[in-house]
Amino acid sequence: MFDVYSANISYHMADVPPVLLLGVVGGILGSLYNFLLDKVLRVYAIINKKSVTYKIFIACTISIFTSCLLFGLPWLASCQPCPLDSTEDCPTIGRSGNYKKFQCPPGHYNDLASLIFNTNDDAIRNLFSKNTDAEFQHSTMLIFFVTCFILSIISYGVVAPAGLFVPVIVTGASYGRFVGMLFSSHTNLNHGLFAVLGAASFLGGSMRMTVSLCVIILELTNNLLLLPMIMIVLLVSKTVADAFNGNIYDLIMKAKGFPYLEVHVEPYMRQLTVADVVTGPLQVCHGNEKVGNIVHILKTTNHQGFPVIDEPPHSESPVLYGLILRAHLITLLKKRVFLRTPVRIGSDAFRHFSADEFAKKGLGNVDKIEDIKLTEEEMEMFLDLHPFTNASPYTVVETMSLAKASTLFREVGLRHLLVIPKRTT
């Protein structure tokens, strides 16, 4: 996409300290970016819960503010004379390019307008480009970096679709090029290469990915010789940022309340058993359950699955028969295949159902227990749950290590894990 470094490049040990500094500062900026974005998203979440009017209002307000800001900022930059060795028209008028005229006299261009009044792809290509060390001013890079940093934070989370990846690349590239300008007298690396490394450091500091980001940056620039430098800044920025907070996607998931298990279990979990963390009261269904009890359980809990227990006289002692899902219970109630006495009907029950009725429904099409109206007589009848129960659910004994159970739950991708007592005979 940004094939700006396919030619051979060279760097030496003297160039490593500025690159290390780039990674350290990128990690700090990335963690600050995550912190501020998390706070903004929590505010937006409160506003978005009120009504659609608030959502539209805040989106329009940010849009107007962004437009006014971007049209006003180029006035802060001074006009630059067009380079004599330019390979494209200068100034650029009526199309994308490196040299935007923006109220400048003939033969001059506005370097800040060249970044703002271009697409993100063209802005990134301008920042990554080599042999353009004299194209941008220090003040231009600083203004553009601060602008991108702030706008990418306040724009994410509104009702309009807005991503994070490309804005972070643009912000990191402007920061990297600014650092390259500051160290231009102490290193042989050109400003465009600093922009590439700055984008990598800011991505590493905010998103905390290493291998995938390294491959993405290499694909963008089409130069395998950049691999050592990119690896250094990614590892340094990620290590520094991890000392402050988590990656941006983890913070977003926590802010939205998504249930998420970390890849690695916490060390304290190895000292606990599953019995130490289970809580009650336990909601269970019997193999032959009264309809009124099923309705009560479904209305008073949000659980998506329930253990099915057989007790005497249907078994010699209480025993776990299996697991039945909430959706299946609601399907049984809708069909009203009720019994007047608690007896087992076996496989004959399937004559009243088709496979499609037990298929997983799409989002928004889920039946609710509140929509099912039952009479008092029906509430006193029974349902035989045995034919519709998963008789081989995943189970663990109560003495199993919590760390081991957590790993099993996550790696197998379970929705339900039943804990059974460890009996001695």
Side-chain angles (χ1 to χ4, degrees):
M1 185 180 294
F2 310 114
D3 186 8
V4 293
Y5 281 99
S6 54
N8 289 337
I9 59 174
S10 61
Y11 44 84
H12 306 87
M13 288 300 297
D15 301 319
V16 174
V19 173
L20 292 176
L21 178 63
L22 195 72
V24 172
V25 179
I28 296 173
L29 290 175
S31 60
L32 176 63
Y33 182 88
N34 292 0
F35 173 79
L36 296 176
L37 185 60
D38 180 55
K39 299 300 182 184
V40 171
L41 288 178
R42 292 182 185 275
V43 174
Y44 285 165
I46 297 174
I47 297 175
N48 291 338
K49 288 179 181 178
K50 294 185 177 181
S51 68
V52 177
T53 305
Y54 284 92
K55 294 181 182 181
I56 297 175
F57 174 76
I58 194 170
C60 292
T61 302
I62 292 175
S63 177
I64 294 172
F65 171 75
T66 301
S67 301
C68 295
L69 183 66
L70 295 184
F71 276 100
L73 283 176
W75 292 98
L76 300 177
S78 59
C79 295
Q80 299 283 104
C82 290
L84 301 177
D85 57 348
S86 174
T87 57
E88 61 175 289
D89 295 339
C90 181
T92 303
I93 301 175
R95 62 179 180 84
S96 295
N98 285 13
Y99 308 103
K100 291 293 183 181
K101 188 173 185 294
F102 192 78
Q103 310 300 324
C104 289
H108 291 72
Y109 71 98
N110 188 305
D111 54 348
L112 186 54
S114 300
L115 296 172
I116 290 178
F117 295 146
N118 265 323
T119 63
N120 277 338
D121 288 353
D122 287 332
I124 295 172
R125 188 174 289 107
N126 290 347
L127 292 170
F128 283 5
S129 58
K130 58 184 177 179
N131 301 324
T132 57
D133 290 1
E135 186 174 322
F136 301 101
Q137 306 174 74
H138 290 71
S139 58
T140 296
M141 280 296 100
L142 185 58
I143 293 172
F144 188 67
F145 163 68
V146 174
T147 303
C148 291
F149 189 90
I150 295 175
L151 290 183
S152 62
I153 290 176
I154 65 175
S155 299
Y156 188 79
V158 297
V159 291
L164 284 174
F165 201 82
V166 174
V168 168
I169 290 180
V170 176
T171 306
S174 57
Y175 145 71
R177 195 167 183 109
F178 178 72
V179 173
M181 291 177 176
L182 297 179
F183 283 90
S184 58
S185 59
H186 300 87
T187 179
N188 295 322
L189 303 180
N190 63 71
H191 299 173
L193 180 54
F194 267 101
V196 174
L197 299 176
S201 69
F202 200 63
L203 283 168
S206 60
M207 300 184 180
R208 314 292 165 81
M209 296 180 287
T210 51
V211 177
S212 56
L213 282 179
C214 190
V215 173
I216 290 170
I217 297 296
L218 289 177
E219 288 288 341
L220 290 178
T221 55
N222 192 28
N223 194 339
L224 197 60
L225 295 176
L226 293 178
L227 179 61
M229 288 293 200
I230 294 175
M231 289 173 60
I232 289 175
V233 294
L234 281 175
L235 291 174
V236 171
S237 62
K238 179 185 182 303
T239 303
V240 172
D242 281 339
F244 296 97
N245 52 28
N247 72 68
I248 186 61
Y249 298 116
D250 285 350
L251 295 177
I252 291 174
M253 284 192 293
K254 290 178 181 178
K256 291 183 177 293
F258 294 154
Y260 178 74
L261 286 178
E262 297 290 344
V263 178
H264 304 290
V265 298
E266 296 292 338
Y268 70 85
M269 291 184 179
R270 297 184 177 89
Q271 312 301 323
L272 299 175
T273 63
V274 179
D276 295 327
V277 296
V278 293
T279 58
L282 179 63
Q283 299 291 341
V284 301
C285 294
H286 296 92
N288 290 96
E289 186 63 89
K290 184 181 288 188
V291 173
N293 293 342
I294 296 176
V295 173
H296 174 74
I297 291 174
L298 293 178
K299 285 186 175 181
T300 56
T301 68
N302 294 322
H303 302 163
Q304 299 300 313
F306 302 93
V308 177
I309 307 296
D310 271 340
E311 292 184 333
H314 301 290
S315 63
E316 295 181 359
S317 60
V319 62
L320 173 66
Y321 182 79
L323 176 80
I324 190 165
L325 300 180
R326 168 184 285 266
H328 295 174
L329 288 174
I330 293 177
T331 301
L332 294 175
L333 293 176
K334 286 178 61 179
K335 294 293 287 189
R336 289 176 163 80
V337 187
F338 303 145
L339 304 171
R340 295 192 177 277
T341 57
V343 296
R344 297 185 66 162
I345 58 176
S347 59
D348 291 341
F350 294 117
R351 292 188 290 106
H352 302 282
F353 299 92
S354 65
D356 293 339
E357 291 178 288
F358 288 96
K360 185 177 181 181
K361 295 180 172 60
L363 187 64
N365 298 320
V366 180
D367 297 320
K368 297 181 180 179
I369 183 61
E370 289 78 13
D371 299 331
I372 301 175
K373 305 302 181 183
L374 299 172
T375 65
E376 290 294 332
E377 182 182 1
E378 289 174 327
M379 295 286 275
E380 295 299 322
M381 300 178 75
F382 294 87
L383 267 174
D384 182 16
L385 303 182
H386 293 97
F388 312 99
T389 300
N390 174 13
S392 58
Y394 282 89
T395 61
V396 298
V397 295
E398 60 184 351
T399 55
M400 175 180 277
S401 164
L402 180 60
K404 193 174 181 179
S406 176
T407 302
L408 171 68
F409 191 88
R410 192 183 192 283
E411 295 298 328
V412 181
L414 302 179
R415 286 291 303 275
H416 310 95
L417 184 63
L418 304 183
V419 181
I420 59 177
K422 186 174 182 179
R423 298 179 178 178
T424 57
T425 57

